[in-house]
Amino acid sequence: MPATVERLKEKIADLQRGLAEVSAALDELTQQQAERDYGAVPLNEPDPLGGASFADSREVLRLFDRASAEMGMELPKDAPTPEDVQELMLREGVQPQDNILSRGIIDAREE
């Protein structure tokens, strides 16, 4: 039994050494990435971005599309053209001669 305990302790020590090496390698990779992205920024100095990170917009759009689909929202893939918007406004009963947008802006300024 004591031999087994000793072997386990040795294996744990080997694992700890290996983890320390992996941790050091990750620190080095992080430093190299920071130097490529932001210039030389030592790891022991405060993060100039205060911990802020930036998301890949393609990933955000993919997640948004998936969430929209799960909620049952149907979003057009392309933005409507001005002609499409004018047609929709006419179908909804908006009369161009009423100038409701301009009147709304003028009313808001007078408040």
Side-chain angles (χ1 to χ4, degrees):
M1 182 89 133
T4 305
V5 172
E6 282 303 313
R7 283 183 44 211
L8 286 174
K9 286 183 178 181
E10 288 173 10
K11 287 187 178 198
I12 290 172
D14 286 342
L15 285 172
Q16 289 173 333
R17 279 191 294 274
L19 288 173
E21 289 175 15
V22 169
S23 180
L26 288 173
D27 287 344
E28 186 177 329
L29 283 173
T30 302
Q31 179 65 35
Q32 290 172 358
Q33 182 67 40
E35 288 174 2
R36 276 196 304 273
D37 293 346
Y38 310 112
V41 178
L43 286 176
N44 56 355
E45 289 188 16
D47 181 2
L49 297 176
S53 61
F54 299 93
D56 179 8
S57 61
R58 293 172 296 201
E59 178 68 12
V60 171
L61 286 174
R62 189 186 67 74
L63 291 170
F64 180 78
D65 288 342
R66 190 175 88 203
S68 299
E70 288 175 5
M71 291 186 280
M73 297 170 44
E74 292 183 23
L75 302 173
K77 291 293 181 189
D78 297 323
T81 65
E83 292 79 17
D84 293 339
V85 173
Q86 289 173 348
E87 185 179 312
L88 175 64
M89 290 171 67
L90 289 173
R91 278 197 317 255
E92 294 295 322
V94 175
Q95 298 300 317
Q97 63 272 18
D98 290 344
N99 295 322
I100 60 171
L101 181 59
S102 299
R103 288 176 193 251
I105 293 170
I106 292 168
D107 290 343
R109 285 183 183 165
E110 292 175 358
E111 289 180 2

